[in-house]
Amino acid sequence: MNQTLIKYCFAIFSTVGICLPSHAETINNGLLEQVNNYSDTSFSSELHQETNVNQLRDVLPTDWAYEALRSLVERYGCIQGYPDNSFRGNSALSRYEFAAGLNACLQQIERLIAQSETLLREDLEKLQRLMQEFAAELASLDGKIDNLEGRVAFLEDHQFSTTTKLLGAAVFAVNDVWGGDGNSNQTVLQDRVTLNLVSSFSGKDLLLLNLSAGNVPVSNNGGSFELPGTDVGGVSVSTAEGTLSSQFAANTNNSVKLLFSSYQFPISDRLNFIVNNGFGVFHTFAPTLNPYFDDLDGGRGAISTFAQRNPIYSIGGGTGVGANYQLAEQFLLTASYMAGGASASDPDEGEGLFNGNYSALGQLTWQASEQFSVATIYSNSYATPGTAGINYNSLLVSGTAVANTLAGQVRLGTDDLFKQQPVIANSYGGQFSWQPTPKFALGGWFTAVFPRLIGRGDGEVLTYALTFAFPDLGREGNLLGFVVGAEPYLTSFEGGDPQAFEVDVPLHLEAFYRHQINQNISITPGFVWLTAPNQDNDNPDSVIATLRTTFQF
């Protein structure tokens, strides 16, 4: 399965709320293996006869089985290699491959006997002795194979579907806030559960259907805690800083909803095409280059949505199309257009696929080596009145209230404020990922957003971060992570009628440690420290703490 298809498979494991939120890394190695095995078509059944052991490029004279292979090749000519002249001696052997190799040797021996050519007597004696010595083991193996065949036949008769796998994840988190206005928040237990139907009809395509439920309440900042905000027309809009990944889009009141569907298929060896319906997101197919932190909000990566990926991917999203084109071995071009998830299906004037909210994204990713990647991103977006900001389908996921309301000039989610105007934005971003050793990875991004409140004025929003990952710390599967950066904040606005606002850097400091209990269960304690909530040093620091437990099945 190619990297793009594998990364898109990750999306189905993410735990989402009112929507489905990856170059991302695995959400769960076991689940990834299931999907990978389900649609892997990388093997080749074409084998060809070798006449010299040195023709096998991955067999060396220092290998322990070199002499045995050389004897079989040069004495009997019955070892077959793959078309790329490899033997793949350490790979698992399928029954088809075993049958092909055994048949080649038997045919060669039969030919030699028929031509009355002399077989080495010592070889025949060895073969007879081995058959006698391992008679019991061979009989036992035969019985085990028959048993496995029976079990496979039973599973095939009782399987969920011949084309579909059912996968799921559940995230439970105890959350609280300390410092500043945190005393007005209560300790809460929040959950998000997802069931995903993953189908493939050709082994190369992928159909995703997402069923999800969560209990995070709807609030002015998308489900995070009530923190310092901005008053807009008498309504307080809280900062969206510190929104937890376990809270992201989980506000369905625990009602099960079909929130997302997508179909991906290859046009050619270089081009993959994606069709999204509902509440699609860019980061399910655009490489975010934050492998240890971005698990598509599935409960195993960073504890905040900001730390998971560059906020540029949260500008818009919904229903539309996307494509990944492999320009060259190291260069991947990503392009997508998506209309707002709510407006795409609305036939009213000013809505629909092309007259309502939309966002278009283009990205060029350079995979310089296995250890280092870098990408540049451009986004153009249009937000109808009352829906501007660094948000996902009008749901705020990061950034200060000043930035998301353009200093009080946009009242989110309403249509009764006379000042409201549409907002068009051009956004430019860059990001990188560098893993010098298997035990340490460094990543980061920088993005500048230039929103225009049409007919009123222009602003500038900045965001940036560095991420530090220490995988497998303590035991395999564990992860220690640190993030330092600034969530999207408004640095200036020229024209219009903005409220007075500060331009203090709203530092976001995050630390978490994922302890992998087993393949399916992990526990992650962590905290987010906001030094200048809503980009104002006069607001007292706030610390958001969480204890997250994730089950994947």
Side-chain angles (χ1 to χ4, degrees):
M1 183 185 292
N2 57 53
Q3 283 188 349
T4 303
L5 187 57
I6 290 176
K7 180 177 175 303
Y8 204 62
C9 287
F10 293 165
I12 57 100
F13 305 135
S14 54
T15 312
V16 300
I18 65 164
C19 57
L20 183 70
S22 292
H23 205 307
E25 284 295 327
T26 170
I27 290 179
N28 180 279
N29 291 334
L31 294 177
L32 175 57
E33 289 174 3
Q34 292 181 42
V35 175
N36 196 29
N37 293 334
Y38 178 69
S39 52
D40 187 7
T41 57
S42 61
F43 70 90
S44 170
S45 60
E46 299 178 1
L47 302 172
H48 65 278
Q49 185 63 55
E50 304 294 346
T51 59
N52 189 299
V53 71
N54 294 323
Q55 290 178 300
L56 300 171
R57 58 181 178 83
D58 56 348
V59 175
L60 303 176
T62 55
D63 292 336
W64 67 272
Y66 177 81
E67 289 299 328
L69 291 173
R70 186 169 68 88
S71 176
L72 287 172
V73 171
E74 298 176 0
R75 184 179 298 179
Y76 296 112
C78 64
I79 286 295
Q80 295 179 325
Y82 287 88
D84 60 355
N85 291 326
S86 66
F87 182 66
R88 307 181 190 179
N90 292 321
S91 300
L93 182 69
S94 72
R95 297 183 68 183
Y96 289 117
E97 292 169 325
F98 175 77
L102 179 61
N103 182 64
C105 286
L106 290 176
Q107 287 182 341
Q108 179 67 359
I109 291 175
E110 289 176 353
R111 185 185 65 79
L112 293 175
I113 293 175
Q115 295 176 358
S116 299
E117 295 186 20
T118 302
L119 293 174
L120 290 180
R121 183 178 183 84
E122 63 183 44
D123 289 344
L124 294 176
E125 292 176 348
K126 288 179 180 178
L127 180 61
Q128 186 176 15
R129 186 171 65 252
L130 288 172
M131 291 175 62
Q132 294 173 349
E133 291 180 358
F134 290 94
E137 287 81 359
L138 290 173
S140 175
L141 180 61
D142 185 59
K144 291 180 179 179
I145 291 175
D146 290 340
N147 182 48
L148 287 174
E149 288 178 341
R151 294 174 63 184
V152 170
F154 177 84
L155 291 175
E156 288 178 346
D157 292 338
H158 296 82
Q159 63 183 322
F160 174 74
S161 169
T162 58
T163 58
T164 303
K165 281 186 175 291
L166 177 63
L167 304 170
V171 179
F172 300 91
V174 178
N175 308 320
D176 205 344
V177 181
W178 287 274
D181 294 338
N183 293 330
S184 62
N185 293 284
Q186 305 301 314
T187 303
V188 295
L189 173 62
Q190 297 174 332
D191 68 79
R192 195 176 55 188
V193 181
T194 297
L195 294 176
N196 299 282
L197 301 176
V198 189
S199 304
S200 181
F201 308 102
S202 66
K204 296 181 179 180
D205 62 341
L206 194 70
L207 174 66
L208 307 177
L209 300 176
N210 170 258
L211 296 168
S212 187
N215 73 342
V216 178
V218 179
S219 67
N220 289 331
N221 59 337
S224 186
F225 293 96
E226 297 296 335
L227 296 171
T230 296
D231 184 86
V232 185
V235 175
S236 177
V237 178
S238 297
T239 181
E241 300 167 86
T243 300
L244 300 176
S245 59
S246 58
Q247 296 173 321
F248 175 50
N251 45 353
T252 69
N253 196 27
N254 272 337
S255 299
V256 179
K257 296 183 179 180
L258 176 63
L259 303 174
F260 178 83
S261 62
S262 177
Y263 184 62
Q264 175 174 318
F265 56 94
I267 301 296
S268 66
D269 292 339
R270 291 178 175 267
L271 178 63
N272 279 320
F273 198 72
I274 304 102
V275 180
N276 291 312
N277 183 43
F279 297 94
V281 281
F282 294 110
H283 57 263
T284 56
F285 54 88
T288 60
L289 305 189
N290 202 19
Y292 292 103
F293 290 78
D294 187 0
D295 72 333
L296 301 158
D297 304 284
R300 295 187 72 251
I303 61 172
S304 72
T305 57
F306 170 72
Q308 292 230 329
R309 67 193 69 90
N310 191 331
I312 195 172
Y313 295 108
S314 297
I315 302 176
T319 296
V321 295
N324 276 311
Y325 182 70
Q326 198 76 44
L327 291 172
E329 182 179 357
Q330 294 181 322
F331 292 92
L332 179 70
L333 179 63
T334 302
S336 179
Y337 171 90
M338 285 197 276
S343 63
S345 59
D346 190 342
D348 291 344
E349 184 177 356
E351 302 292 348
L353 288 173
F354 305 108
N355 291 316
N357 291 0
Y358 79 82
S359 50
L361 181 141
Q363 176 173 329
L364 180 62
T365 304
W366 177 34
Q367 183 77 39
S369 66
E370 292 185 1
Q371 293 76 33
F372 182 75
S373 302
V374 64
T376 57
I377 316 157
Y378 169 72
S379 170
N380 177 266
S381 59
Y382 172 84
T384 53
T387 59
I390 306 297
N391 66 80
Y392 165 69
N393 286 279
S394 303
L395 180 67
L396 296 180
V397 294
S398 67
T400 67
V402 171
N404 287 317
T405 65
L406 298 183
Q409 298 180 91
V410 176
R411 183 172 172 181
L412 302 172
T414 66
D415 57 4
D416 59 354
L417 191 65
F418 70 92
K419 292 181 180 179
Q420 287 185 331
Q421 295 292 330
V423 176
I424 189 168
N426 291 297
S427 306
Y428 307 86
Q431 57 203 31
F432 77 95
S433 174
W434 179 46
Q435 187 166 5
T437 72
K439 298 294 185 179
F440 174 70
L442 175 68
W445 64 77
F446 178 89
T447 288
V449 182
F450 299 95
R452 169 171 291 178
L453 188 61
I454 295 177
R456 294 189 177 276
D458 299 277
E460 177 188 71
V461 175
L462 298 181
T463 179
Y464 39 86
L466 285 175
T467 63
F468 307 85
F470 300 86
D472 299 328
L473 184 65
R475 61 173 294 183
E476 185 177 358
N478 290 358
L479 175 65
L480 175 64
F482 298 99
V483 182
V484 56
E487 299 205 25
Y489 66 103
L490 186 68
T491 61
S492 65
F493 195 93
E494 300 295 332
D497 187 21
Q499 298 177 8
F501 62 93
E502 300 295 330
V503 192
D504 299 322
V505 177
L507 281 180
H508 173 115
L509 306 174
E510 178 174 332
F512 65 92
Y513 181 72
R514 184 185 72 218
H515 176 61
Q516 198 69 38
I517 297 177
N518 56 40
Q519 182 175 314
N520 302 102
I521 304 175
S522 63
I523 296 178
T524 308
F527 70 88
V528 175
W529 179 12
L530 305 176
T531 65
N534 203 29
Q535 62 185 77
D536 188 348
N537 282 330
D538 290 336
N539 291 323
D541 294 5
S542 295
V543 177
I544 302 171
T546 184
L547 179 62
R548 181 182 69 193
T549 303
T550 303
F551 302 86
Q552 293 181 310
F553 50 93

